[in-house]
Amino acid sequence: VTCKSASNYLMEREDTSSPTCSKAKATLSETCCYSTCDMCGDYDLDWDVFVDFEGVGEMSCGDFNEYFREEAVVDSSVQCEEIKEEFFDTCCYSSPTTSCQLCKQGDTFYDLNDNVEVDFNGPTTCFEVANFMSRRTEDTDQVCGVTQTSLFDECCYEKCNLADKP
């Protein structure tokens, strides 16, 4: 019996206060209960970034959580530390205090052309760039201003408002 099958069986059939559950916890907890690898620790995990992971191919950084559970990758193990060393900088980030808004100039916020395709480290959309910048970049970072300036004409516009006087 594997830990996974025992866990699935118990979750589907036993109440937490049942004698069977108590006995299973006492018998299996030492071998089946452990802390899985934690990719980012106190940082945020970027679910929208994809990486090429050996043997798996392209996967979302968020998919590491499932991989760690399925493969029983224990926190602080050699395997965990190797994966973190390779992917931490790509998958983990610290949320900005004041996030970069792609379509902001001065104190004015413009609307975003979500589906317009642009080149931002490869082909992507204005929506993806705006999403990435707001999650990862401080308003005061130089890259914020450069990106706002370089993509403003393609990504940002002001909606027509009939109430505005000509």
Side-chain angles (χ1 to χ4, degrees):
V1 174
T2 66
C3 291
K4 188 174 185 177
S5 64
S7 178
N8 288 341
Y9 176 86
L10 292 167
M11 283 196 295
E12 290 175 8
R13 293 174 180 83
E14 294 296 328
D15 185 82
T16 190
S17 61
S18 75
T20 304
C21 182
S22 298
K23 184 176 179 183
K25 283 180 181 179
T27 306
L28 299 172
S29 67
E30 197 157 308
T31 56
C32 292
C33 299
Y34 55 89
S35 295
T36 57
C37 186
D38 183 4
M39 173 70 83
C40 296
D42 292 336
Y43 292 88
D44 296 314
L45 177 64
D46 196 335
W47 286 77
D48 295 330
V49 171
F50 285 79
V51 295
D52 190 24
F53 184 54
E54 80 241 8
V56 177
E58 188 174 80
M59 64 184 257
S60 161
C61 289
D63 290 335
F64 275 111
N65 290 338
E66 185 176 339
Y67 175 82
F68 294 149
R69 276 192 303 278
E70 286 179 359
E71 300 299 319
V73 180
V74 178
D75 202 26
S76 301
S77 67
V78 171
Q79 184 182 15
C80 175
E81 295 306 314
E82 287 174 350
I83 292 170
K84 285 167 50 173
E85 185 176 313
E86 185 172 352
F87 296 107
F88 181 87
D89 290 340
T90 304
C91 292
C92 307
Y93 65 97
S94 178
S95 294
T97 305
T98 305
S99 65
C100 177
Q101 300 301 307
L102 181 62
C103 291
K104 179 182 177 194
Q105 288 200 334
D107 292 332
T108 306
F109 290 89
Y110 294 88
D111 290 291
L112 179 68
N113 282 317
D114 289 350
N115 297 320
V116 171
E117 294 206 8
V118 293
D119 183 26
F120 182 75
N121 298 329
T124 189
T125 64
C126 292
F127 175 80
E128 291 296 328
V129 174
N131 189 23
F132 179 83
M133 296 300 288
S134 71
R135 282 191 334 252
R136 293 252 187 153
T137 310
E138 287 286 345
D139 186 297
T140 55
D141 288 354
Q142 182 179 6
V143 71
C144 177
V146 169
T147 306
Q148 287 171 326
T149 301
S150 66
L151 295 179
F152 185 84
D153 290 340
E154 293 172 87
C155 291
C156 308
Y157 70 100
E158 187 171 11
K159 286 184 179 174
C160 177
N161 184 348
L162 290 176
D164 288 344
K165 295 186 179 185

